[in-house]
């Protein structure tokens, strides 16, 4: 039961003024990953921190604008440069000036009507936003505010600016957050009092208030006492949840599953390759864990293409050998099907029964699968998170494997153990996360690493290409098509809007069809039905289509070994981890592969740095470290791209020391007060609920 104190914060955002059903969905997608999840609540707003502050006292003049600093300019509008009709890839530009110089305001997919109306030529306007210098010229991409003189007079001098998402104005966001902060009841102190005193941290309520009322941009720095305090709270909640999980797993003894080798030994000669040293080592580590009477909780870390699937199959076979079942869970339907397609032929030869279970199964088929899982007819089930549902029962689930784990949350991992009989858990991740992040996301899990690629792989040649060379690129792609090559064409990432992303993909699809022949081009994006997606993947795999125009739905796991060219359009909009994941779709066979990073200017400094790193290295671990430096850890873990709330307050590149404090604190609490009793225990439960780690509270009762 949720502590009563928190009730006002757990009200859906739809209760706030100005937030109707549509915005509720938008916010739910922003905070909970998808719009059908549990609706966003007021509590979610508390931890949505401003990314900048508009300090309207800061009016440096265009010529003196500092790179990346939010500034305000009083300008005169000179002219509008609308992109050529129908070409929505070229940004809309508005040229402005003040006494000191000229500047361009840049809008991607800007709406001409609205822009020409709100920014009439010859008028005075106040614009605020971050200035980026490009080739010695200042640009402001998507200004935060553009107002008339009268409008400006009504604005506060200091105003926090929040990250927003399509369909949501910063005004409504700010107002809602203000209400959320006003609603916040006084929280008890859950952290160690000595720690708070030593670090001179404010109380939780004060810290939240301060974060949302910055007095200048220094207040947004990651190392203010308020921010450090909140980062600690967030990390403590996560570490505590993991510590409780571990405690419970340790208490509930496991089962020794000593594989006979009957199936695994038969599998090896069926494979067209020999296992790499790293694969062999991982297989042994897993088999040893399975054979132990304790429960296994192991992480298999391996870069894209390192061959995790076969290791997973070996693990599954080991438990099937002793008469148990195994499950393999993938983050998407496409991926689940793909696992099925690659594993079924092998399993058939071994006499192992495999079945697919997804949310999209027809009712009758699903019922049958559930029945067969329950009576043990199915040895290995492959599926999506449908596998988590409570009606899924196993006869004897010995091993649960989760692929591409970064897409799932901690609480989902927590529920897994409940499915079977002392089920062992193997988590596979393709994101080579740095050590500190392993700790945050997984706690002290055992780790197996696939740090060696299968032999015969050729390096992927990566080039960055400016968009003005797109015609040249398309000509090259056409030649490649005629030579029978297979090409992925990835369409721009559009922040938070699957719909716009789908439209961009459709545009490019039609464009390429008209240039290269309809039959050659396929399309896959998130707005298509599962059947359509599968068909598109199959056509591409079988070579019916040669170019697959796709959005990031293919980011994870998709395996078409003879696809050797990848074009990533608007590469400057993607994060490093994501570029690396995408690029991993090629270079999976023995043919030389190419990756073209097509970028549009103006290119920010970080974007340029990202593209350079991509050109320099294919080493996922190095890329992950660089990514951590360039951005925040939420994105390294892939939480942002999937939309799952990861860390809102903690930034590990700044707060690594706090992570250690949180880990040590959590450990101590669990050792001294494992049932979270008494005043501090109650306070800690409040903390867990507040940060969405309440599944851990349920563990307390389950004992
Ligand atoms: P990932 O780790 O990204 O999930 P996969 O398991 O999909 O990688 O493997 C990528 C490709 O490499 C697959 O086509 C697979 O058959 C192949 N592969 C796996 N192990 C080996 C190996 N030891 N030698 C050669 N090819 C391998
Ligand atoms: Mg994989």
């Amino acid at each position: 039961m949720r502590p009563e104190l928190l009730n006002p914060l757990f009200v859906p955002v739809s209760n706030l003024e100005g937030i109707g059903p549509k915005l509720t969905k938008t916010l739910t997608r922003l905070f909970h990953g998808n719009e059908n999840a549990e609706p966003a609540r007021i509590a979610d707003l508390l931890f949505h921190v401003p990314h900048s502050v508009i300090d309207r006292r800061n009016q440096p003049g265009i010529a003196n604008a500092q790179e990346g600093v939010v500034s305000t300019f009083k300008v005169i509008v000179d002219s509008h440069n609308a992109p050529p009709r129908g070409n929505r890839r070229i940004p809309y530009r508005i040229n402005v000036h003040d006494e000191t110089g000229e500047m361009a305001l840049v809008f991607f997919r800007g709406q001409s009507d609205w822009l020409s109306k709100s920014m009439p030529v010859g008028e005075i306007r106040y614009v605020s936003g971050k200035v980026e210098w490009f080739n010695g010229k200042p640009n402001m991409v998507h200004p935060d505010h553009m107002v008339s003189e009268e409008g400006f007079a009504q604005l506060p001098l200091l105003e926090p600016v929040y990250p927003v998402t399509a369909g949501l104005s910063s005004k409504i966001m700010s107002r809602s957050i203000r209400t959320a902060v006003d609603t916040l009841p006084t929280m008890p102190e859950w952290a160690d009092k000595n720690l708070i005193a030593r670090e001179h941290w404010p109380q939780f309520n004060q810290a939240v208030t301060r974060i949302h009322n910055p007095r200048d941009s220094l207040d947004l720095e990651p190392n203010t006492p308020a921010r450090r305090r909140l980062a600690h709270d967030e990390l403590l909640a996560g570490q505590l949840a993991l510590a409780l999980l571990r405690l419970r797993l340790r208490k509930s003894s496991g089962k020794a599953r000593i594989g006979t080798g009957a199936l695994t030994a038969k599998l090896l000669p069926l494979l067209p390759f020999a296992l790499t040293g790293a694969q062999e080592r991982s297989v042994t580590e897993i088999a040893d864990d399975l054979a132990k009477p304790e429960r296994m909780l192991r992480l298999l870390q391996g870069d894209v293409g390192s061959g995790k699937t076969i290791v997973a199959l070996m693990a599954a076979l080991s438990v099937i050998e002793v008469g148990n079942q195994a499950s393999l869970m993938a983050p998407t339907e496409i991926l689940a099907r793909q696992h099925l397609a690659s594993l079924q032929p092998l399993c058939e030869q071994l006499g192992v029964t495999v079945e697919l279970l997804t949310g999209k199964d027809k009712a009758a088929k699903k019922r049958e699968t559930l029945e067969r899982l329950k009576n043990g007819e199915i040895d290995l089930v492959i599926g999506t998170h449908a596998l988590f549902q409570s009606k899924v029962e196993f006869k004897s689930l010995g091993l649960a494997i989760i692929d591409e784990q970064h897409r799932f949350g901690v609480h989902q991992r927590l529920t897994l153990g409940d499915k079977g009989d002392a089920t062992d858990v193997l988590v596979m991740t393709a994101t080579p996360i740095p050590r500190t992040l392993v700790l945050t996301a997984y706690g002290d899990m055992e780790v197996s690493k696939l740090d060696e690629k299968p032999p015969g792989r050729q390096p992927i040649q990566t080039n960055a290409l400016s968009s003005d060379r797109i015609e040249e690129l398309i000509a090259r792609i056409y030649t490649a098509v005629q030579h029978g090559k297979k090409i992925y064409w990835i369409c721009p990432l559009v922040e938070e809007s699957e719909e716009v992303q789908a439209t961009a993909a459709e545009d490019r699809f039609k464009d390429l069809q008209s240039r290269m022949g309809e039959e050659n081009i396929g399309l896959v994006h998130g707005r298509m039905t599962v059947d359509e997606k599968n068909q598109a993947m199959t056509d591409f795999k079988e070579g019916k289509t040669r170019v697959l125009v796709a959005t990031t739905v293919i980011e994870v796991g998709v395996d078409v070994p003879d696809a050797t060219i990848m074009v990533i359009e608007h590469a400057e909009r993607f994060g490093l981890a994501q570029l690396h994941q995408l690029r991993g779709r090629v270079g999976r066979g023995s043919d030389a592969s190419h990756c073209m990073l097509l970028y549009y200017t103006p290119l920010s400094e970080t974007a340029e740095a990202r593209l350079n790193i991509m050109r320099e290295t294919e080493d996922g671990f190095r890329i992950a470290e660089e990514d951590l430096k360039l951005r925040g850890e939420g994105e390294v873990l892939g939480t942002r791209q999937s939309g799952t709330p990861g860390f809102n307050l903690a930034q590990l590149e700044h707060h690594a020391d706090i992570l250690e404090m949180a880990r040590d604190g959590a450990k101590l609490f669990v050792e001294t007060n494992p049932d979270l009793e008494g005043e501090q225990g109650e306070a800690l439960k409040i903390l867990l609920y507040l940060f969405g780690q309440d599944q851990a509270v349920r563990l307390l009762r389950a004992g």
Side-chain angles (χ1 to χ4, degrees):
M1 269 267 286
R2 181 171 61 230
E4 239 167 68
L5 178 69
L6 292 176
N7 286 348
L9 295 178
F10 279 67
V11 172
V13 288
S14 52
N15 282 45
L16 295 171
E17 196 193 322
I19 301 198
K22 205 164 155 227
L23 280 183
T24 302
K25 279 195 169 177
T26 308
L27 285 168
T28 301
R29 176 150 36 83
L30 179 66
F31 294 133
H32 294 177
N34 78 71
E35 56 185 41
N36 300 319
E38 205 182 321
R41 297 164 306 211
I42 292 184
D44 296 314
L45 290 164
L46 288 179
F47 305 130
H48 194 59
V49 297
H51 61 59
S52 52
V53 53
I54 300 182
D55 184 345
R56 295 197 172 83
R57 299 167 307 191
N58 179 18
Q59 299 190 21
I62 290 175
N64 310 313
Q66 269 176 289
E67 169 91 23
V69 177
V70 175
S71 317
T72 300
F73 305 90
K74 180 184 181 182
V75 300
I76 296 175
V77 180
D78 294 327
S79 61
H80 284 236
N81 276 350
R85 245 184 167 344
N87 190 338
R88 291 187 292 162
R89 278 173 198 89
I90 298 180
Y92 191 110
R93 278 169 204 274
I94 300 178
N95 303 305
V96 300
H97 78 272
D98 66 7
E99 304 95 77
T100 67
E102 298 177 346
M103 176 167 71
L105 312 178
V106 180
F107 304 84
F108 290 100
R109 292 171 178 268
Q111 286 180 309
S112 311
D113 291 356
W114 179 74
L115 287 172
S116 46
K117 215 178 286 162
S118 55
M119 297 292 282
V121 171
E123 297 279 307
I124 292 177
R125 284 292 178 269
Y126 281 83
V127 300
S128 300
K130 270 191 192 156
V131 172
E132 291 173 24
W133 287 84
F134 181 70
N135 284 345
K137 291 191 190 125
N139 286 275
M140 188 185 284
V141 180
H142 295 176
D144 297 319
H145 283 276
M146 302 187 298
V147 293
S148 64
E149 287 197 280
E150 304 86 76
F152 186 70
Q154 289 170 8
L155 292 174
L157 281 175
L158 273 173
E159 188 187 336
V161 185
Y162 294 95
V164 290
T165 176
L168 185 68
S169 74
S170 59
K171 207 165 152 191
I172 292 192
M173 184 64 110
S174 304
R175 196 175 63 200
S176 309
I177 288 176
R178 231 174 299 133
T179 317
V181 174
D182 291 343
T183 313
L184 179 65
T186 305
M187 294 290 153
E189 185 55 81
W190 41 70
D192 178 60
K193 301 212 166 54
N194 295 327
L195 175 72
I196 298 286
R198 192 187 77 209
E199 298 288 326
H200 305 289
W201 284 345
Q203 287 167 342
F204 176 82
N205 285 64
Q206 287 169 348
V208 169
T209 308
R210 185 61 185 264
I211 288 284
H212 292 291
N213 294 285
R215 285 172 218 165
D216 55 44
S217 59
L218 287 180
D219 272 351
L220 301 176
E221 297 284 316
N223 278 321
T224 65
R227 183 61 180 268
R228 281 172 65 84
R229 152 124 227 175
L230 295 176
H232 178 265
D233 292 333
E234 185 173 46
L235 292 168
L236 180 63
Q239 292 297 304
L240 191 59
L242 287 167
L244 289 169
L245 167 67
R246 229 173 3 258
L247 181 74
R248 187 173 90 155
L249 285 179
R250 228 183 286 133
K251 267 203 270 177
S252 66
S253 59
K255 227 180 179 174
R257 299 185 169 91
I258 307 174
T260 62
L263 294 169
T264 48
K266 256 201 246 166
L267 172 71
L268 293 175
L270 298 177
L271 298 175
F273 48 74
L275 296 186
T276 63
Q279 283 171 320
E280 270 179 14
R281 189 165 16 88
S282 302
V283 166
T284 310
E285 285 165 355
I286 294 166
D288 287 351
D289 273 5
L290 292 172
K292 282 186 203 150
E294 293 95 51
R295 244 165 135 166
M296 174 170 86
L297 196 57
R298 184 173 278 277
L299 178 68
L300 177 63
Q301 245 192 330
D303 210 345
V304 272
S306 59
K308 291 184 291 296
T309 318
I310 228 57
V311 175
L313 180 60
M314 292 286 282
L317 293 178
S318 301
V319 308
I320 295 169
E321 281 169 4
V322 298
N324 283 171
Q325 294 165 293
S327 68
L328 170 56
M329 187 170 62
T332 66
E333 175 113 17
I334 292 191
L335 206 53
R337 278 182 195 281
Q338 194 171 286
H339 278 316
L340 182 79
S342 62
L343 298 183
Q344 196 160 35
L346 293 168
C347 288
E348 255 164 34
Q349 294 177 71
L350 298 169
V352 166
T353 313
V354 193
E355 196 55 72
L356 187 73
L357 182 74
T358 75
K360 303 277 160 56
D361 292 342
K362 298 244 157 50
K365 166 79 186 359
K366 191 166 193 171
R367 220 172 316 136
E368 191 197 319
T369 307
L370 290 178
E371 189 55 43
R372 291 171 64 219
L373 273 175
K374 203 170 161 184
N375 67 28
E377 271 174 57
I378 296 171
D379 300 313
L380 172 61
V381 63
I382 299 176
T384 55
H385 38 269
L387 287 173
F388 277 130
Q389 289 165 359
S390 54
K391 49 182 193 260
V392 182
E393 290 172 55
F394 291 83
K395 180 162 182 236
S396 60
L397 182 63
L399 173 66
I401 306 169
I402 316 179
D403 191 11
E404 313 291 2
Q405 156 69 18
H406 63 284
R407 297 265 167 151
F408 299 104
V410 171
H411 61 282
Q412 283 165 308
R413 231 177 299 148
L414 294 177
T415 56
L416 261 177
D418 301 339
K419 288 275 173 211
D421 173 17
T423 306
D424 286 313
V425 176
L426 177 67
V427 167
M428 306 200 286
T429 173
T431 318
I433 32 184
R435 178 67 208 151
T436 41
L437 291 189
V438 171
L439 190 64
T440 353
Y442 305 100
D444 292 329
M445 256 181 159
E446 308 292 331
V447 179
S448 292
K449 261 192 196 178
L450 293 180
D451 46 12
E452 179 187 352
K453 286 218 167 164
R457 296 279 163 80
Q458 303 223 19
I460 303 169
Q461 169 100 38
T462 301
N463 296 92
L465 208 67
S466 156
S467 61
D468 48 29
R469 291 170 63 192
I470 191 167
E471 292 302 324
E472 186 190 322
L473 175 66
I474 289 178
R476 272 160 75 188
I477 296 294
Y478 191 42
T479 313
V481 167
Q482 286 168 324
H483 284 90
K485 306 261 190 226
K486 286 187 187 170
I487 297 114
Y488 291 107
W489 187 296
I490 309 299
C491 286
L493 178 74
V494 181
E495 189 96 342
E496 321 285 4
S497 172
E498 215 174 86
E499 205 163 300
V500 183
Q501 206 167 327
T503 318
E506 269 160 15
D507 289 353
R508 181 56 77 201
F509 169 67
K510 285 184 204 133
D511 173 50
L512 293 181
Q513 271 195 329
S514 72
R515 293 161 183 263
M516 300 185 194
E518 283 184 18
E519 66 291 351
N520 283 323
I521 320 290
L523 173 68
V524 57
H525 62 65
R527 287 281 148 140
M528 291 164 56
T529 67
V530 173
D531 286 345
E532 287 167 342
K533 282 191 241 177
N534 290 332
Q535 189 60 48
M537 289 310 303
T538 313
D539 287 349
F540 185 58
K541 206 160 189 163
E542 290 174 354
K544 281 190 202 138
T545 54
R546 290 282 158 191
V547 180
L548 184 64
V549 177
T551 58
T552 43
V553 292
I554 68 140
E555 180 189 338
V556 157
V558 168
D559 188 24
V560 182
D562 60 346
T564 53
I565 299 174
M566 166 157 294
V567 177
I568 304 178
E569 210 177 329
H570 270 299
E572 79 282 359
R573 293 194 198 165
F574 292 85
L576 260 184
Q578 207 169 16
L579 289 172
H580 179 63
Q581 286 288 331
L582 285 167
R583 181 171 60 181
R585 301 305 115 220
V586 295
R588 300 171 82 84
S590 52
D591 287 347
S593 291
H594 297 268
C595 177
M596 319 280 184
L597 304 170
L598 193 62
Y599 63 85
Y600 288 65
T601 53
L603 207 51
S604 72
E605 252 173 57
T606 11
E608 195 177 328
R610 288 198 295 262
L611 298 184
N612 284 335
I613 293 162
M614 287 298 291
R615 276 166 33 193
E616 273 167 34
T617 183
E618 271 185 67
D619 176 352
F621 282 92
R622 159 126 196 258
I623 290 176
E625 299 283 354
E626 298 286 345
D627 200 19
L628 190 58
K629 276 187 223 150
L630 285 176
R631 302 171 22 125
E633 67 296 325
E635 298 173 74
V636 179
L637 283 174
T639 46
R640 231 189 64 136
Q641 55 229 32
S642 65
T644 328
F647 296 102
N648 293 308
L649 303 155
Q651 286 181 291
L652 289 188
E653 71 274 35
H654 301 293
H655 301 145
D657 60 326
I658 301 183
L659 172 62
E660 312 232 318
M661 295 176 202
R663 184 196 50 193
D664 296 346
K667 208 170 145 205
L668 194 68
F669 289 136
V670 169
E671 275 165 13
T672 54
N673 186 2
D675 298 314
L676 302 188
E677 288 164 343
E679 201 181 321
Q680 182 155 48
E682 290 306 318
L684 286 169
K685 280 186 213 165
I686 291 176
L687 172 75
L688 289 170
Y689 270 100
L690 194 56
F691 282 95
Q693 303 283 6
D694 43 298
Q695 293 272 347
V697 180
R698 250 157 264 165
L699 286 179
L700 292 173
R701 260 172 302 131

